Amino acid sequence: MTQVSERLQSVFTTQSAHKWVNKASTAEERIAKLLKLKAVIQAREDDVVKALHADLRKDDEGGRGEAAPIYGEVDQVVAELANWMAPVEADPTPFVESRAKITSESRGIVLLFSPWNYPFALLFQPLVSIIAAGNCAMVKPNELAPHVSKLAAEIINEVFEEKDVAVFEGGVDLANEMLELPIDHIFFTGSPAVGKIVMAAAAKHLASVTLELGGKNPVIVDRTADLQTSAATIAAFRNVNNGQVCLCPENIWVPEEMVDEFMAVVQGTFQAMFYKDGKLNPEANGKIIDERNYQRVKGYIDDAREKGATIVCGGAGDPELRSIHPTIMTNVPADARIMGEETFGPILNVFTYKEVDEAIAHIQQQPKPLALYLFTNDDEFSEMVLSKTSSGGVTVNNCLMHVAVPGMPFGGVNSSGIGAYHGVFGFNELSHQRSVLFM
Ligand code: NAD
């Protein structure tokens, strides 16, 4: 058992009293806090870009792309919060003389842990939902993105009083200290392995959890798909942020007679997007977050190669730049390490099928992924695959896009996550639905 530091304990005590004030706060009061947050992030957007370049070599667009969804979340809260907070009349039957309502009330103190791959967006987007629902928060930015962690702490300290939102910078030891507190709810984005640790810690206090985890996202290319577009899209999204995206396409299933053309288009797209004069372009590729993860991803390729996999392209890495070349592997044996672990690096595993049931059977045997992607021009094909598989979300004829629709919940299922957020779904996730009967 770890020791909880004095500052953690003191903030927890303060927030334990203040959470009742926040619970009773109005939509206007919550919105005022969020508008201040938005204004400070807007004022410091150039610093966001710089910090993300320093930690992950994200370009200007990638940096600003982490701020934009936070603004979108705030704007939606400003427009909708009064409606979301309004009690809902309920049918009191069998007590027909009575009155019944369902109210959304805050959960209390929320512990928030963020991942390092989108370290800014995935800290502040959940925080918007947490505040909108009237909670206090104790926040730990991710230690592997230290420039973003420092900036996020500065922003939080400028915008919020500690009794509302308190930030703590640190690594695993700090995370474990925070998990000792009898918190009301934990919002965790990270790996399934640590997700289990978080859930076990939550069980000690019966805290509720939102777990936004990862997995190996499968893609099925159907015979009716536009091969050129499908292959180019998959290639582009596999190497976003050098493959360090929880929603990246990873295991690609292609009809066997289409696979050569598919791989040729993928390789052409890799060259066009991620190479300059035949050399890996570090600015376009981004950076693997640290040496340990660089060795982990490179290790998947070396291990699969030793066990008989074919490296169709890429396969090498540049340790100085901490980039891995966009890689296609085929014939990967079942005992290769990459088959059982989320890659979180720019490796496409390409499998072929005669009958699509082979791909579906494989997907059914794997832990449920965060996303499934289908490329097809046949609606019956889509519905058939949807009926036989499960995943957090799905995009048909593109990758990742469902995450950008604020009107849909974003989250995983079982090993890829528990709970969902964005917009009203975030508000509901961070609220308790309380049934009230007046007799
Ligand atoms: P991680 O699980 O290693 O770390 C996340 C947080 O947990 C950090 O704050 C870290 O300090 C803490 N932590 C790490 N080890 C711990 C331990 N042993 N005990 C207690 N706390 C610990 O995740 P990561 O490497 O930062 O992020 C990558 C993972 O996040 C991938 O699996 C990816 O798929 C997932 N992810 C999911 C989403 C989503 O929205 N579902 C988004 C981005 C990333």
Side-chain angles (χ1 to χ4, degrees):
M1 183 159 152
T2 50
Q3 280 282 315
V4 176
S5 76
E6 235 172 75
R7 178 170 171 243
L8 267 180
Q9 189 57 60
S10 137
V11 168
F12 180 74
T13 305
T14 304
Q15 291 198 352
S16 295
H18 192 66
K19 68 182 181 182
W20 302 105
V21 178
N22 278 351
K23 178 174 182 291
S25 60
T26 62
E28 289 72 28
E29 288 164 335
R30 298 175 191 184
I31 285 170
K33 289 178 194 169
L34 291 175
L35 286 176
K36 189 172 174 197
L37 174 65
K38 182 180 170 187
V40 172
I41 295 176
Q42 279 174 325
R44 301 207 59 182
E45 208 179 280
D46 289 346
D47 295 333
V48 175
V49 171
K50 277 185 212 146
L52 284 163
H53 188 269
D55 287 333
L56 285 150
R57 214 187 293 123
K58 290 196 181 183
D59 61 13
D60 191 81
E61 193 187 341
R64 296 189 198 284
E66 288 213 29
I70 305 166
Y71 306 151
E73 284 288 331
V74 173
D75 293 346
Q76 225 192 330
V77 172
V78 171
E80 301 289 348
L81 185 59
N83 293 333
W84 297 345
M85 286 174 69
V88 177
E89 289 288 312
D91 178 357
T93 305
F95 306 109
V96 287
E97 303 293 312
S98 305
R99 187 163 63 82
K101 66 173 182 177
I102 303 161
T103 58
S104 292
E105 61 175 35
S106 58
R107 292 189 177 278
I109 304 176
V110 180
L111 198 57
L112 172 60
F113 289 171
S114 57
W116 49 257
N117 63 334
Y118 287 83
F120 195 78
L122 296 182
L123 182 75
F124 285 104
Q125 264 187 282
L127 187 61
V128 173
S129 299
I130 290 168
I131 302 299
N135 297 288
C136 303
M138 296 176 73
V139 176
K140 189 182 89 59
N142 197 292
E143 70 276 17
L144 297 190
H147 295 85
V148 173
S149 174
K150 181 170 174 291
L151 176 64
E154 285 170 16
I155 290 173
I156 288 171
N157 286 332
E158 183 176 343
V159 175
F160 297 103
E161 291 185 65
E162 227 173 42
K163 62 186 180 184
D164 286 322
V165 181
V167 61
F168 299 82
E169 285 191 272
V172 175
D173 290 346
L174 173 63
N176 283 321
E177 269 186 73
M178 295 175 93
L179 289 171
E180 290 291 328
L181 294 166
I183 221 90
D184 297 299
H185 186 88
I186 306 177
F187 193 112
F188 171 84
T189 305
S191 58
V194 181
K196 289 177 192 169
I197 295 172
V198 168
M199 199 162 171
K204 280 195 253 166
H205 310 291
L206 292 177
S208 44
V209 291
T210 306
L211 303 177
E212 298 283 337
L213 311 176
K216 294 178 85 65
N217 303 312
V219 183
I220 304 180
V221 179
D222 174 34
R223 290 191 163 87
T224 65
D226 177 333
L227 189 73
Q228 189 83 25
T229 317
S230 320
T233 306
I234 292 165
F237 280 110
R238 172 69 278 197
N239 201 35
V240 172
N241 204 20
N242 216 201
Q244 302 165 113
V245 182
C246 55
L247 287 164
C248 268
E250 185 160 337
N251 284 346
I252 321 296
W253 292 85
V254 185
E256 59 182 9
E257 71 280 11
M258 291 162 77
V259 74
D260 290 342
E261 192 185 344
F262 175 86
M263 291 200 292
V265 178
V266 169
Q267 288 180 71
T269 310
F270 282 163
Q271 282 298 327
M273 290 185 71
F274 305 112
Y275 289 81
K276 205 172 171 183
D277 305 326
K279 286 200 176 131
L280 194 68
N281 175 2
E283 292 302 320
N285 271 277
K287 180 162 80 173
I288 300 286
I289 188 75
D290 63 4
E291 177 63 19
R292 186 181 68 80
N293 277 286
Y294 176 85
Q295 294 302 343
R296 182 183 58 77
V297 178
K298 184 70 177 50
Y300 290 140
I301 300 171
D302 299 341
D303 169 72
R305 187 192 273 124
E306 276 164 28
K307 289 175 178 154
T310 308
I311 312 298
V312 178
C313 70
D318 184 328
E320 296 285 299
L321 294 172
R322 241 195 280 136
S323 272
I324 307 266
H325 285 251
T327 299
I328 303 176
M329 299 203 296
T330 58
N331 305 315
V332 181
D335 65 342
R337 272 187 15 236
I338 195 170
M339 294 294 278
E341 294 172 29
E342 180 182 8
T343 307
F344 233 52
I347 307 169
L348 274 183
N349 277 342
V350 177
F351 303 90
T352 59
Y353 67 84
K354 275 194 183 59
E355 302 295 335
V356 73
D357 283 348
E358 298 160 43
I360 292 171
H362 187 268
I363 293 167
Q364 287 175 342
Q365 285 156 18
Q366 300 298 310
K368 292 174 194 164
L370 187 58
L372 167 73
Y373 302 116
L374 304 176
F375 286 86
T376 179
N377 279 305
D378 177 354
D379 289 347
E380 279 181 26
F381 175 88
S382 305
E383 292 304 328
M384 182 275 293
V385 178
L386 291 175
S387 73
K388 293 182 176 179
T389 57
S390 178
S391 66
V394 179
T395 295
V396 179
N397 289 325
N398 213 318
C399 296
L400 271 77
M401 292 301 153
H402 61 280
V403 70
V405 179
M408 299 203 295
F410 174 67
V413 51
N414 293 129
S415 40
S416 56
I418 294 175
Y421 71 125
H422 288 187
V424 69
F425 305 99
F427 174 81
N428 290 338
E429 179 77 10
L430 276 306
S431 302
H432 163 61
Q433 307 296 305
R434 190 183 203 186
S435 295
V436 185
L437 181 66
F438 298 89
M439 296 199 77

